Amino acid sequence: MTQGHGDDTARGHRITVERTPVHVRVVRGGRTVAESRRPLLLRETGLPVRYYLPPEDVRTELLAPSGTHTFCPFKGTASYWSLPGEPDLVWAYPDPVEAVAEIRDHFCFYGTEVVGERAG
């Protein structure tokens, strides 16, 4: 589903959010921290493709909230979590802008591994 952002879209900035059957996982220190066969794929002008994983597919008990927050005019304010020795490894948008509401509370990691193109 393509999401527009008013005047910013007219200037060429675009974000798309789509459901995908891609199998992704996040492994740190030999431990699987997250694994999903139902991530949301977010494409944004000028940025790498990102996978947003549903909270049920993330081992949130391994994550510690950090005090970091960032603001994106196209997505909203992000909150961050860390693993020991890996600060601000993961972020989520608890209250995203309406145009990307689908990513609400989904987790996005630096270093997500694509395991396979289709679930199964």
Side-chain angles (χ1 to χ4, degrees), residues 50-98:
R50 296 288 187 202
Y51 294 96
Y52 282 78
L53 285 58
E56 303 81 29
D57 296 348
V58 177
R59 295 189 59 200
T60 55
E61 76 277 7
L62 300 176
L63 302 174
S66 96
T68 302
H69 299 278
T70 58
F71 177 74
C72 169
F74 307 107
K75 295 185 292 288
T77 299
S79 298
Y80 288 75
W81 289 262
S82 302
L83 284 172
E86 294 193 71
D88 300 338
L89 172 70
V90 58
W91 65 94
Y93 290 89
D95 191 25
V97 299
E98 188 59 35

